[in-house]
Amino acid sequence: MESSDSLVILFIFDSVRADILYNLINTNQMPYLRKYIFNRAAIVENCFTTFPTNTIPGHLAILTGTYSNKHHVPAMRMWNLSKMRYRDYSGLEIFNLLSQEFNPNVKMVYDFFPYSEAFTSSNFAKGAKYVYLNKSRMIFYYLLQKLNYRVVLIQSLKTFLRHLRKKPTDALYVLWLPITDVLSHEKGPDSPEFFRHFQEIDQMLFRVLFEGYKNWKGLIKLQLLNRSYFIITADHGSFVIQQKSELIHEFKSLPLQIKDKQVSPKISILLAYTDGFASLYVKHPLTKRWKDRVTYDHLIAYPTSNGPINLIEFILKIPTVSHLFVIKEGIKPFSYLVFSQEGTSEIQRKVEDDEIQLSYKVIRGKDPFAYNNSPDAKLLLDGSFHPTHEWLKALRRTNYPLMVDQIPRLFDCDNLGDILFMGKEGSSFSRKKNYRGTHDTGTYNCLRVPLILAGPNIKHTIIPTARTVDIVPTLLYLLQKKVNFKQFDGKILSEIIQS
């Protein structure tokens, strides 16, 4: 029997690392969040988002319980080669996401509720009965927050509480808190302005939500505190920028025509990139067709007017590049190769009894991910296949905790390139913005996000690992929703549920 009177509120911070939020709570700098949610919640010590670590795939992992190989939106910027269209979802084109790249067969969490509201933008609101950030409001708030972001926050929270007052039960509310991302970029994730904003959120949101203000009685007086579910997480983490370069300019010495936003018959390479992740699309040298996948042999000896060039070696010489990934097809299981300047490793994937199995081994030089420095990870570095949950447990304390799982999934996506690569933590592929902080990489600081869950039948406990794709299936299980859980990449976090 499905639960019919529960209130569910999902809070999504933007660009917030787990260590930062947990420290603010534990040092009582967010006393209302701590008192009413954290002190009775299940806390995940190491919760990981998706790679690349930016807003769109991060949100979609939370809201769908799936990764990009299912929802089909792996990055903020990419090329759709079947239509030869450049997609840039960092701007207003984000409002076309659901009609362009998103897989229409994938459900968002709103679809499972009789009533739901999305206090986020419409691209993250498929199935919601009400959407707060339409296109015009998004543009207005974007301009307004440049002058005074507090006005934007206050107005958003006022509308949220007004709607909550009308429908306080049997409903889902998703509340996106985007100003944290703005401050993390512009001021830095180590800045006083960034930390101060959390205290503002605690006073303006969590205090008022529970204790009331003016016409809003608060969840305590409404006797809804113990009947409601509260989930707090983030789409990705962040780091401080110490080095910048403009990635497209690094390819000027290449004897090939390359573009990042335009295509013509003379162009051989297309590039799509954000601050810390890039996708390189290579035209097939024989068929001259973009949709024909080039082979590994083409990538290491691509024909140019000056003779063949090794594109992998060329990219690895770019100072801001950390790791590079390619697929080497042949006899299944395919090989997914990981390159750094120090060495090369190989990931393989197979499916047995509906469970993904992965193997990882170093094939040249040093381990690109330095997994051999971890005693837990060393146990799996035997070239044998192990299930994903074993990899999650073994890699959770390494600097690249999810990459063995994520890299094969990215190459399942038709709208990513032949060569994928990411930047070094502390570096940015873009000089255009005066940013002090960013994200996108597959490092621990970008992948590790907070996950706090409180509500009926949820234990007050700490568990070592989870992923943001686990949120939707766990919530639906708690609410006794009748769904096919095989549609999700996430699993039910049974260890937090009271028997």
Side-chain angles (χ1 to χ4, degrees), residues 205-257:
L205 171 60
F206 292 110
R207 179 179 66 84
V208 173
L209 176 64
F210 292 105
E211 297 185 354
Y213 181 75
K214 292 186 177 180
N215 295 329
W216 167 249
K217 291 182 179 180
L219 294 179
I220 296 172
K221 286 185 178 180
L222 291 172
Q223 297 183 340
L224 289 173
L225 179 63
N226 295 323
R227 289 167 50 193
S228 302
Y229 290 92
F230 307 98
I231 302 170
I232 299 172
T233 190
D235 55 353
H236 54 75
S238 60
F239 58 82
V240 175
I241 297 173
Q242 299 170 330
Q243 180 184 14
K244 292 182 179 182
S245 68
E246 193 59 51
L247 186 60
I248 189 70
H249 298 161
E250 301 286 353
F251 285 85
K252 283 186 174 180
S253 63
L254 199 65
L256 291 167
Q257 289 218 31

Side-chain angles (χ1 to χ4, degrees), residues 51-52 239 247 251 271-280 311-327 336-347 360 362 364 366-373 398-404 407 410-411 418-427 429 440-444 447:
F51 173 73
F239 58 82
L247 186 60
F251 285 85
L271 181 64
Y273 65 97
T274 49
D275 287 354
F277 177 77
S279 185
L280 196 77
L311 292 174
I312 294 173
E313 288 185 356
F314 179 88
I315 294 170
L316 286 173
K317 291 177 182 177
I318 298 173
T320 50
V321 171
S322 170
H323 293 78
L324 179 150
F325 319 110
V326 299
I327 182 173
Y336 305 90
L337 300 182
V338 180
F339 293 87
S340 70
Q341 292 181 348
E342 290 77 30
T344 308
S345 59
E346 176 189 59
I347 301 168
Y360 181 89
V362 178
R364 182 190 65 84
K366 295 182 179 180
D367 184 350
F369 291 139
Y371 288 148
N372 52 3
N373 293 333
T398 69
N399 198 36
Y400 304 97
L402 212 61
M403 298 301 284
V404 173
I407 292 168
L410 291 178
F411 282 102
D418 304 285
I419 300 177
L420 310 178
F421 53 103
M422 70 178 184
K424 296 175 181 176
E425 183 169 309
S427 299
F429 287 155
D440 295 351
T441 69
T443 55
Y444 187 78
L447 281 168

Side-chain angles (χ1 to χ4, degrees), residues 149-182:
Y149 70 80
R150 292 175 183 86
V151 175
V152 176
L153 176 64
I154 291 169
Q155 186 57 44
S156 300
L157 297 182
K158 280 183 177 179
T159 308
F160 166 64
L161 292 173
R162 187 168 66 248
H163 282 239
L164 185 59
R165 188 168 69 246
K166 295 177 182 178
K167 183 69 175 174
T169 59
D170 193 20
L172 164 72
Y173 292 86
V174 175
L175 183 60
W176 178 34
L177 298 162
I179 304 299
T180 47
D181 183 67
V182 174

Side-chain angles (χ1 to χ4, degrees), residues 65-67 69-70 409 467 469-470 487-491:
T66 67
Y67 287 123
N69 55 320
K70 287 186 179 177
R409 294 182 189 273
R467 302 161 301 167
V469 291
D470 299 330
Q487 67 188 287
F488 305 115
D489 289 317
K491 69 178 184 69

Side-chain angles (χ1 to χ4, degrees), residues 264-310:
S264 72
K266 293 182 179 181
I267 294 171
S268 301
I269 293 177
L270 296 171
L271 181 64
Y273 65 97
T274 49
D275 287 354
F277 177 77
S279 185
L280 196 77
Y281 305 77
V282 182
K283 183 187 288 185
H284 197 286
L286 301 179
T287 67
K288 306 299 181 182
R289 286 166 51 94
W290 290 101
K291 291 197 293 183
D292 293 341
R293 185 181 286 276
V294 295
T295 67
Y296 175 75
D297 290 336
H298 291 142
L299 297 178
I300 60 174
Y302 195 80
T304 75
S305 57
N306 295 345
I309 187 169
N310 188 323

